[in-house]
Amino acid sequence: MQTRSALVAAGKVYQSAGISQRVKQISISAIKEMPLIASKIGDCVSLGQGIPSFPTPSHIVETVCQVMREDLHSGKYTLGPGMPELREAVARSLSGQLGRAVDPDTEICITVGAMEALLASILTVVERGDEVILPSPNYASHIEQVLLAEGIPVFVPLQVKDWQLSIEAIRRAITPRTKALILCNPHNPTGANFSEAALRELADLAQAHELFVISDETYDFLVYDSQPHFSLTLIPELKERLIATFSFSKKYAMTGWRVGYVYSSAALLDHIMKIHDAAAICAPSLSQHAALAALRGPQDCVSDICAALAARRDLACQRLDRMADFFDYVKPQGAYYLMARYKVPGVDSMEVALRMLREARVVSIPGGAFGPGGENHIRLSFGGTEAEINEAFDRIERWLTSNPFAAGV
Ligand SMILES: Cc1ncc(COP(=O)(O)O)c(C=O)c1O
């Protein structure tokens, strides 16, 4: 299934003569398109793309400035898998979390954000006609990346009451053509923090059916209310079938630096590296210096970000509670998104998001962009400041009192 393109919905016509089928069938994710449309409208407040408001911590910026001034070679390509000292720092930090050795030379590749890590991983294991299980709703780019690899996304609904995994539904979705499953935990777009029990069952299923598991760990640092967080990387038996992708973007407020990494067995990484080389050569060298400074520096910037986002989550939930006639939602347990289900029957999520954008000047992401399980929802990000969150909800409240869906509610 293909996600709906907001640009198509907004009237953009694609010229497709001569364009490959593989590219014709994908779209720019609505997460990136809605801000593009908003930039043309002007004066919009965003609950859309997941860009945290925080600046990159100053010790990271200062280190990079110093490296630029003092190291004449800092503007050059690094080794393909990344600077050795960065891979060592990554391996040390990961091995501390996993309680087992991680080889910086054969198991780690520094990438252009988690996004490149994900694409290289998916292209490595998915080929034309392979079925790939995705929970639904799910991060929109996973869907486009599977389509780009000419795989077939198989959407397995999350449980709507709490957005947790239904292992039984995943088991039923497995066929002889199933090649892989992709999971992001904590989960974008729902904010779910999947239970250890479910993740262990998922790992058992993957092993029993010889599936690859691509585990998107972009939000591994961000769970609320002192809950435990469990990662598939903690299951050693899964190691030969697991590819884990990590990001510096959200943890260290470095979304624009474009740096992340992939962790997998050496056997898989050898192949992932071929795509990384063909696509990127190496991650930007200055961004690798920034990532190294992030890992070596004080970690209180991470706890500060988590504390601020916990307060913003509570604020977003309080504001939604005031609109209980229009929306319900499951309180996010991790990441910084929530899926607000609108109580307007018969209106698709693209229409709700586009009208909210044009009429209330608030950016949200239509839930349908996250697969069929996202329909009847809009995704709201609470990565912005409290002032932005309040302004956005003020505008939504005013808009709703003008009764935009008069017949429906
Ligand atoms: C689930 C998920 N995976 C991957 C990414 C991309 O991360 P990066 O900025 O490291 O490419 C994002 C960004 O929002 C995300 O939400």
Side-chain angles (χ1 to χ4, degrees):
M1 178 175 301
Q2 193 176 342
T3 57
R4 276 276 304 279
S5 157
L7 285 180
V8 171
K12 180 177 169 86
V13 178
Y14 279 98
Q15 301 298 328
S16 52
I19 304 304
S20 73
Q21 186 54 35
R22 132 174 29 87
V23 170
K24 269 194 289 199
Q25 59 155 356
I26 66 171
S27 22
I28 293 179
S29 94
I31 302 172
K32 326 292 185 324
E33 287 184 346
M34 295 302 282
L36 269 177
I37 300 172
S39 70
K40 299 202 172 71
I41 294 175
D43 183 33
C44 294
V45 187
S46 185
L47 298 175
Q49 196 175 359
I51 305 178
S53 65
F54 318 100
T56 304
S58 57
H59 66 275
I60 298 176
V61 175
E62 284 312 316
T63 304
V64 174
C65 292
Q66 193 180 351
V67 166
M68 281 173 78
R69 277 193 301 269
E70 294 175 7
D71 178 354
L72 293 179
H73 302 289
S74 65
K76 295 184 175 165
Y77 296 129
T78 67
L79 292 175
M83 298 186 330
E85 55 275 49
L86 175 56
R87 277 182 284 134
E88 272 156 30
V90 162
R92 230 184 346 269
S93 135
L94 201 53
S95 134
Q97 288 169 43
L98 307 187
R100 61 174 191 264
V102 174
D103 186 341
D105 291 328
T106 61
E107 296 181 334
I108 299 290
C109 173
I110 310 298
T111 54
V112 184
M115 197 64 113
E116 190 226 330
L118 284 161
L119 182 60
S121 307
I122 291 169
L123 287 173
T124 297
V125 296
V126 176
E127 57 193 327
R128 179 176 296 175
D130 282 347
E131 292 176 3
V132 180
I133 292 181
L134 301 169
S136 182
N138 197 55
Y139 182 51
S141 296
H142 295 164
I143 305 171
E144 303 305 328
Q145 292 177 335
V146 169
L147 290 170
L148 189 57
E150 300 183 273
I152 302 169
V154 174
F155 296 108
V156 178
L158 293 171
Q159 304 177 51
V160 178
K161 65 175 189 321
D162 55 6
W163 295 126
Q164 285 291 313
L165 294 166
S166 164
I167 297 298
E168 203 33 56
I170 293 175
R171 193 192 313 277
R172 282 198 304 270
I174 296 174
T175 75
R177 296 173 72 186
T178 307
K179 186 68 171 294
L181 51 91
I182 306 178
L183 192 74
C184 146
N185 183 42
H187 189 237
N188 178 3
T190 64
N193 177 28
F194 299 128
S195 73
E196 175 174 347
L199 292 171
R200 287 194 180 278
E201 279 189 70
L202 194 75
D204 290 345
L205 270 185
Q207 281 176 276
H209 295 272
E210 300 186 350
L211 309 180
F212 288 106
V213 178
I214 297 174
S215 185
D216 181 339
E217 304 280 333
T218 297
Y219 301 98
D220 65 344
F221 67 103
L222 188 55
V223 290
Y224 303 116
D225 307 326
S226 314
Q227 292 172 79
H229 169 252
F230 188 75
S231 162
L232 288 164
T233 54
L234 290 165
I235 304 178
E237 300 78 32
L238 201 58
K239 190 177 167 207
E240 298 310 310
R241 355 201 100 264
L242 182 79
I243 306 175
T245 62
F246 293 82
S247 174
F248 287 86
S249 288
K250 317 289 166 109
K251 188 169 181 179
Y252 296 101
M254 287 174 54
T255 52
W257 295 82
R258 311 304 307 123
V259 60
Y261 62 94
V262 58
Y263 163 62
S264 73
S265 69
L268 282 168
L269 199 74
D270 281 345
H271 295 284
I272 293 170
M273 276 296 306
K274 293 188 268 182
I275 297 169
H276 171 66
D277 179 50
I281 303 180
C282 64
S285 54
L286 290 171
S287 300
Q288 294 192 51
H289 281 286
L292 184 59
L295 289 178
R296 284 183 175 165
Q299 299 299 302
D300 48 355
C301 55
V302 180
S303 31
D304 290 350
I305 287 175
C306 294
L309 288 171
R312 293 175 193 182
R313 175 201 61 164
D314 292 344
L315 174 63
C317 292
Q318 283 156 17
R319 294 300 309 251
L320 271 175
D321 289 342
R322 281 168 39 178
M323 293 187 268
D325 287 347
F326 294 96
F327 294 111
D328 58 30
Y329 66 95
V330 178
K331 191 173 185 181
Q333 307 297 311
Y336 49 86
Y337 309 99
L338 60 78
M339 289 290 267
R341 190 183 70 85
Y342 50 84
K343 301 177 181 177
V344 189
V347 188
D348 96 351
S349 57
M350 182 64 75
E351 182 181 343
V352 173
L354 283 174
R355 286 193 61 185
M356 195 189 277
L357 179 59
R358 293 194 179 115
E359 296 164 19
R361 309 220 161 181
V362 175
V363 186
S364 64
I365 309 296
F370 302 97
E375 247 326 315
N376 300 315
H377 295 77
I378 49 173
R379 190 198 73 174
L380 305 178
S381 156
F382 44 91
T385 62
E386 294 196 7
E388 283 163 344
I389 293 169
N390 275 323
E391 174 63 21
F393 279 105
D394 288 348
R395 289 183 187 198
I396 296 173
E397 272 180 358
R398 281 199 298 273
W399 178 61
L400 287 173
T401 52
S402 74
N403 223 355
F405 300 104
V409 190

